[in-house]
Amino acid sequence: MLERVFKLSDNKTTVRTEVMAGVTTFMTMAYILAVNPSILGSTGMDPTAVLLATALASFIGTVCMALMANLPFALSAGMGLNAFMAYTVVAGYGYSWQVALLAVFVEGLIFVVLSLTNVREAIFNAIPLTLKRGVSVGIGLFIAFIGLQNAGLSVDSSTLVTITSFTDNFHTAGICALLALVGLFITAVLYIHQVKGAILFGILLTWIIGMACQGVGLYVPDAEAGFYSLFPAFGMTDFTKLGLTFGQCFNVDFSTVGIINFIVVIFSFLFVDIFDTLGTLIGVATKADMLDKDGKLPRIKPALLSDAIATSAGAVLGTSTTTTFVESASGVAVGGRTGLTALVTAGLFLVSTLFAPIFTAIPSFATAPALIMVGFLMVGTVTEIRFDLDNLTDAIPAYLAIL
């Protein structure tokens, strides 16, 4: 049956290889289950509800990718897109998270229509490669900056670029900022040594060190100041929490949101998602040697449709734009070539809902290094941008996008 559905022999792979690739992909992107509740929780959304919505949207989107496109790509709440929703649309524009989710839902529907035609692919092909790279670099820097703020390393309400004083409030803010630096160092070392799941392990090790600091008195919980105990409360996942976000994208009072402003938000999500999804698909497909002689992905239309369906489903569940993850390349690197890889990853996302209390207990200083590290991975594209005199018509727009 697996042979018939996924055409394993045609793709020169085996069930064992695909399963291992699926587990590897999950390990490299499971950090989103800790990071996304932290980011979207800043909007007032319930962290447990966000985690459940993220895991379920990841499951739906990745299953669609497996069965519709037969590609080894996994989907989840996009980094950059979640930060854009929390810190630009909600915190910056002042809209409620319900409005932001509705914008994501409508964006997903638009992408369904565009994906059923050739419009979305045509839009992507029409955008200069240099500009695509510039946007990727700019989003990477934005994510890293959010990481510095979440870590407590970058402070000051007026500019947000002042380095924190580690000695002031050392047993709360100071030690948290220091632990974030330690976590960044650990994550970087693991990544340099090509450890599978380096970002996830970096988060967990930083959290464990934090608990040790609390145990010896270096970290002292202060609930009034927002510093809580670092020890998790083990228990069953409260699946009823999903009701706090499920369907809330339709609970919007448009009297507080102008229709023009709402359209602007939709197109903002559209713009960012176009670059994110198609850039990731082409990049990972290149690594897997799946592109044809013209440099195109043969099954890109069902892949884009899977992404669009996951985005709208995720908005209904209660999470930001769901998109293809560049971490899918880790599964490809160990031999994943078909949708069976994606199906295994999807199954692990579903199982992860049982461990929600653990993921939501992870402090922001432990997830911040992940944001900074993901920013680094996205910024690396800058080396592919030509800034010479012969390429200024593309280079200047790319520079502006980065800026």
Side-chain angles (χ1 to χ4, degrees), residues 2 15 56 62 73 77 117 123 125 154 178 214 256-257 259-261 263 283 305 334 368 381 396 399 402:
L2 292 176
V15 172
L56 292 175
T62 308
F73 304 152
T117 65
I123 291 173
N125 291 334
S154 181
L178 188 60
Q214 181 175 332
T256 60
V257 184
I259 188 64
I260 300 299
N261 293 332
I263 291 173
L305 184 59
V334 297
T381 311
I396 292 174
Y399 156 73
I402 294 170

Side-chain angles (χ1 to χ4, degrees), residues 52-396:
L52 291 172
T54 302
L56 292 175
S58 302
F59 171 75
I60 293 170
T62 308
V63 166
C64 287
M65 184 68 76
L67 301 180
M68 292 168 56
N70 193 24
L71 289 170
F73 304 152
L75 294 83
S76 194
M79 294 293 292
L81 291 158
N82 53 5
F84 177 76
M85 171 178 159
Y87 302 109
T88 300
V89 176
V90 177
Y93 298 163
Y95 299 133
S96 67
W97 57 265
Q98 290 91 339
V99 169
L101 286 179
L102 180 59
V104 172
F105 175 75
V106 174
E107 174 224 340
L109 293 183
I110 294 173
F111 271 162
V112 168
V113 175
L114 296 180
S115 299
L116 288 172
T117 65
N118 293 321
V119 175
R120 191 176 181 185
E121 186 178 355
I123 291 173
F124 177 75
N125 291 334
I127 299 170
L129 181 59
T130 303
L131 186 56
K132 294 173 190 172
R133 291 167 175 163
V135 170
S136 175
V137 174
I139 293 173
L141 290 171
F142 177 57
I143 292 174
F145 190 37
I146 296 301
L148 291 173
Q149 294 173 36
N150 288 355
L153 290 167
S154 181
V155 296
D156 191 328
S157 59
S158 59
T159 64
L160 287 174
V161 293
T162 301
I163 296 176
T164 188
S165 171
F166 292 93
T167 55
D168 292 345
N169 302 312
F170 176 75
H171 292 292
T172 50
I175 188 64
C176 286
L178 188 60
L179 286 168
L181 281 179
V182 172
L184 181 59
F185 176 78
I186 291 172
T187 305
V189 169
L190 291 174
Y191 203 88
I192 289 168
H193 287 85
Q194 299 180 21
V195 175
K196 302 299 181 185
I199 293 178
L200 176 62
F201 288 135
I203 291 174
L204 296 177
L205 287 172
T206 305
W207 184 24
I208 291 170
I209 295 172
M211 287 188 283
C213 288
Q214 181 175 332
V216 299
L218 287 176
Y219 173 84
V220 180
D222 183 356
E224 290 186 3
F227 297 94
Y228 303 97
S229 174
L230 302 179
F231 294 99
F234 295 99
M236 292 295 293
T237 299
D238 184 2
F239 286 94
T240 62
K241 291 282 189 180
L242 186 61
L244 297 175
T245 57
F246 183 81
Q248 289 301 305
C249 62
F250 305 116
N251 184 23
V252 174
D253 180 9
F254 271 102
S255 64
T256 60
V257 184
I259 188 64
I260 300 299
N261 293 332
F262 183 66
I263 291 173
V264 169
V265 173
I266 291 174
F267 276 93
S268 296
F269 279 117
L270 276 168
F271 176 76
V272 178
D273 199 11
I274 282 176
F275 286 100
D276 202 348
T277 305
L278 286 160
T280 299
L281 282 174
I282 298 301
V284 178
T286 300
K287 186 177 182 65
D289 195 25
M290 292 179 174
L291 301 181
D292 60 21
K293 57 183 176 59
D294 298 319
K296 296 181 179 180
L297 183 61
R299 300 187 294 277
I300 193 170
K301 186 176 290 186
L304 293 174
L305 184 59
S306 301
D307 186 281
I309 291 172
T311 292
S312 288
V316 173
L317 289 165
T319 188
S320 53
T321 304
T322 304
T323 187
T324 307
F325 257 52
V326 72
E327 283 81 0
S328 301
S330 63
V332 167
V334 297
R337 290 296 180 272
T338 73
L340 182 55
T341 293
L343 194 63
V344 172
T345 304
L348 291 173
F349 267 114
L350 191 61
V351 171
S352 69
T353 59
L354 300 175
F355 303 98
I358 295 177
F359 282 109
T360 54
I362 297 176
S364 59
F365 69 76
T367 58
L371 298 179
I372 298 170
M373 199 64 195
V374 170
F376 161 75
L377 299 178
M378 297 181 72
V379 166
T381 311
V382 74
T383 60
E384 300 174 29
I385 300 175
R386 290 174 51 212
F387 289 102
D388 54 80
L389 292 176
D390 296 331
N391 198 48
L392 290 182
T393 53
D394 285 346
I396 292 174

